[in-house]
Amino acid sequence: MRTRTKICGLTRVDDALHAARCGADAIGLVFYPPSPRHISLDTAAEISAALPAFVTRVALFVDADPAEVRAVLDRVRPDLLQFHGDESPAYCSQFGVPYIKAVRVRAGLDLVQYAASYVGARGLLLDAFVPGQAGGTGQAFDWALIPLHLSLPLILSGGLEPGNVRHAIQTVRPWAVDVSSGVEASKGVKDAAKVAQFIQEAST
């Protein structure tokens, strides 16, 4: 099975188009103001409109007011929503748009039960738990905490970069991998060579 790739935290049209040309299956747009990768509706709409067919546009939120999500839906037209906070299953499903739920993995968290609670999600994204941060930390977590069987497709995130993504895929066997800081030249600016290498390594 081919592992899908998502390049997240894009802030520039050229970076998004480069990721698409390299074979990215999805790109992520961050709508969380505290994040250094947060972008405006205007920029997000420009990126979304520039992308070719069959590249999934993912809009990322962290405990956002529903009105903010609807504003993004109206202007940017994302294909998929990603909820990275403490959003309930009812909250996530209210928009009538496919979504994935992110969870920051830590010892003692029952991921099997967590996945079962979000039965309507299209996937469960596992990221590192860092106190006070919602994601994008560039830190990995202990993959041994991942159960063998989850009821949702597994999207692996957290500390991935070109040098370890192949090993991560061979170890975890996720449906997809998600990277942001691991392919950056600076926060929000992607390194073209790293993006290309990451996608190549993930596809090998």
Coordinates of all heavy atoms in Angstrom, one line a residue, residues 144-177:
A144 N 5.6 3.2 20.2 CA 5.1 2.0 20.9 C 3.8 2.2 21.6 O 3.1 1.3 22.0 CB 6.2 1.6 22.0
L145 N 3.4 3.5 21.8 CA 2.1 3.8 22.4 C 1.0 3.6 21.4 O -0.2 3.7 21.8 CB 2.1 5.3 22.9 CG 3.1 5.6 24.1 CD1 3.1 7.1 24.4 CD2 2.7 4.8 25.3
I146 N 1.3 3.4 20.2 CA 0.2 3.3 19.1 C -0.3 1.8 19.2 O 0.4 0.9 19.0 CB 0.7 3.6 17.7 CG1 1.3 5.0 17.7 CG2 -0.4 3.4 16.7 CD1 2.0 5.4 16.4
P147 N -1.6 1.6 19.4 CA -2.2 0.3 19.3 C -2.1 -0.3 18.0 O -2.0 0.4 16.9 CB -3.7 0.5 19.7 CG -3.7 1.9 20.3 CD -2.6 2.7 19.6
L148 N -2.1 -1.7 17.9 CA -2.0 -2.4 16.7 C -3.2 -2.1 15.8 O -3.1 -2.1 14.6 CB -1.8 -3.9 16.9 CG -0.4 -4.3 17.5 CD1 -0.4 -5.8 17.7 CD2 0.7 -3.9 16.6
H149 N -4.3 -2.0 16.4 CA -5.6 -1.9 15.6 C -6.4 -0.7 16.1 O -6.8 -0.6 17.3 CB -6.4 -3.2 15.7 CG -5.7 -4.4 15.3 ND1 -5.4 -4.6 13.9 CD2 -5.1 -5.4 16.0 CE1 -4.7 -5.8 13.8 NE2 -4.6 -6.3 15.1
L150 N -6.6 0.2 15.2 CA -7.5 1.4 15.5 C -8.7 1.3 14.5 O -8.5 0.8 13.4 CB -6.7 2.7 15.3 CG -5.7 3.0 16.3 CD1 -4.9 4.3 15.9 CD2 -6.3 3.3 17.7
S151 N -9.8 1.9 14.9 CA -11.0 1.8 14.0 C -11.0 2.9 13.0 O -11.8 2.9 12.1 CB -12.2 2.0 14.9 OG -12.2 3.3 15.6
L152 N -10.0 3.8 13.0 CA -9.8 4.8 12.0 C -8.5 4.7 11.3 O -7.5 4.3 11.9 CB -10.0 6.2 12.6 CG -11.3 6.6 13.3 CD1 -11.1 7.9 14.0 CD2 -12.4 6.7 12.3
P153 N -8.4 5.2 10.0 CA -7.1 5.2 9.4 C -6.1 6.1 10.2 O -6.5 7.2 10.6 CB -7.5 5.9 8.0 CG -8.9 5.5 7.8 CD -9.5 5.6 9.1
L154 N -4.9 5.7 10.3 CA -3.9 6.3 11.1 C -3.1 7.3 10.2 O -2.5 6.9 9.2 CB -3.0 5.3 11.7 CG -1.7 5.7 12.4 CD1 -2.0 6.7 13.5 CD2 -0.9 4.5 12.9
I155 N -3.0 8.5 10.7 CA -2.1 9.5 10.1 C -1.0 9.8 11.1 O -1.3 10.3 12.2 CB -2.9 10.8 9.7 CG1 -4.1 10.4 8.8 CG2 -2.0 11.8 9.1 CD1 -5.2 11.5 8.8
L156 N 0.2 9.6 10.8 CA 1.3 9.8 11.7 C 1.9 11.1 11.5 O 2.3 11.5 10.4 CB 2.4 8.7 11.5 CG 3.6 8.7 12.4 CD1 3.1 8.5 13.9 CD2 4.6 7.7 12.0
S157 N 2.1 11.9 12.6 CA 2.7 13.2 12.6 C 3.7 13.3 13.8 O 3.8 12.3 14.6 CB 1.6 14.3 12.7 OG 2.2 15.5 12.5
G158 N 4.4 14.4 13.9 CA 5.2 14.6 15.1 C 6.7 14.2 14.8 O 7.0 13.0 14.9
G159 N 7.5 15.2 14.6 CA 9.0 14.9 14.5 C 9.4 14.2 13.2 O 10.6 13.8 13.1
L160 N 8.5 14.2 12.2 CA 8.9 13.5 11.0 C 9.7 14.5 10.1 O 9.5 15.7 10.1 CB 7.7 13.0 10.2 CG 6.8 12.0 10.9 CD1 5.6 11.7 10.0 CD2 7.6 10.8 11.2
E161 N 10.7 13.9 9.4 CA 11.5 14.7 8.4 C 12.1 13.7 7.4 O 11.9 12.5 7.5 CB 12.6 15.4 9.2 CG 13.3 14.7 10.3 CD 14.5 13.9 9.8 OE1 14.9 14.1 8.7 OE2 15.0 13.0 10.6
P162 N 12.8 14.2 6.4 CA 13.2 13.3 5.3 C 14.1 12.1 5.8 O 14.0 11.0 5.2 CB 14.0 14.2 4.4 CG 13.4 15.5 4.6 CD 13.0 15.6 6.0
G163 N 14.9 12.3 6.9 CA 15.8 11.3 7.3 C 15.1 10.2 8.1 O 15.7 9.1 8.3
N164 N 13.9 10.4 8.6 CA 13.3 9.3 9.4 C 11.9 8.8 8.9 O 11.3 7.9 9.5 CB 13.2 9.7 10.9 CG 12.2 10.8 11.1 OD1 11.4 11.2 10.2 ND2 12.1 11.4 12.3
V165 N 11.4 9.5 7.9 CA 10.0 9.1 7.5 C 9.9 7.7 6.9 O 8.9 7.0 7.2 CB 9.4 10.2 6.5 CG1 10.2 10.1 5.1 CG2 8.0 9.9 6.3
R166 N 10.9 7.2 6.2 CA 10.8 5.9 5.7 C 10.8 4.8 6.9 O 10.0 3.9 6.9 CB 12.0 5.6 4.8 CG 11.9 4.2 4.1 CD 13.1 3.8 3.3 NE 13.5 4.8 2.3 CZ 14.4 4.6 1.4 NH1 15.1 3.5 1.4 NH2 14.7 5.6 0.5
H167 N 11.7 5.1 7.9 CA 11.7 4.2 9.0 C 10.4 4.3 9.8 O 9.8 3.2 10.2 CB 12.8 4.6 10.0 CG 12.8 3.8 11.3 ND1 13.1 2.5 11.4 CD2 12.6 4.3 12.6 CE1 13.0 2.1 12.6 NE2 12.7 3.2 13.4
A168 N 9.8 5.4 9.9 CA 8.5 5.6 10.5 C 7.4 4.8 9.8 O 6.6 4.1 10.5 CB 8.1 7.1 10.6
I169 N 7.4 4.9 8.5 CA 6.4 4.1 7.8 C 6.6 2.6 7.9 O 5.6 1.9 8.1 CB 6.5 4.6 6.3 CG1 5.9 6.0 6.1 CG2 5.6 3.6 5.4 CD1 6.2 6.6 4.8
Q170 N 7.8 2.2 7.9 CA 8.1 0.7 8.0 C 7.7 0.2 9.4 O 7.3 -0.9 9.6 CB 9.6 0.5 7.7 CG 10.0 0.7 6.3 CD 11.5 0.6 6.1 OE1 12.3 0.7 7.0 NE2 11.9 0.5 4.8
T171 N 7.8 1.1 10.4 CA 7.6 0.7 11.8 C 6.1 0.8 12.1 O 5.5 -0.1 12.7 CB 8.3 1.6 12.8 OG1 9.7 1.6 12.5 CG2 8.1 1.2 14.2
V172 N 5.4 1.9 11.8 CA 4.1 2.1 12.2 C 3.0 1.7 11.2 O 1.9 1.3 11.5 CB 3.9 3.6 12.5 CG1 2.4 4.0 12.9 CG2 4.9 4.1 13.6
R173 N 3.4 1.7 9.9 CA 2.5 1.3 8.8 C 1.2 2.2 8.8 O 0.1 1.7 8.8 CB 2.1 -0.2 8.9 CG 3.2 -1.1 8.8 CD 3.9 -1.1 7.4 NE 5.0 -2.0 7.3 CZ 5.8 -2.1 6.2 NH1 5.6 -1.3 5.2 NH2 6.8 -2.9 6.2
P174 N 1.4 3.5 8.8 CA 0.2 4.4 8.8 C -0.4 4.5 7.4 O 0.2 4.2 6.4 CB 0.8 5.7 9.2 CG 2.2 5.7 8.6 CD 2.7 4.3 8.7
W175 N -1.6 5.0 7.4 CA -2.3 5.3 6.1 C -1.6 6.5 5.4 O -1.5 6.5 4.2 CB -3.8 5.6 6.4 CG -4.5 6.1 5.2 CD1 -4.8 7.4 4.9 CD2 -4.9 5.4 4.0 NE1 -5.4 7.5 3.7 CE2 -5.5 6.3 3.1 CE3 -4.9 4.0 3.7 CZ2 -6.1 5.9 1.9 CZ3 -5.4 3.6 2.5 CH2 -6.0 4.6 1.6
A176 N -1.2 7.4 6.3 CA -0.6 8.7 5.8 C 0.4 9.2 6.8 O 0.4 8.9 7.9 CB -1.7 9.7 5.4
V177 N 1.3 10.1 6.3 CA 2.2 10.8 7.1 C 2.0 12.3 6.9 O 1.6 12.8 5.8 CB 3.7 10.5 6.9 CG1 4.0 9.1 7.4 CG2 4.0 10.6 5.4

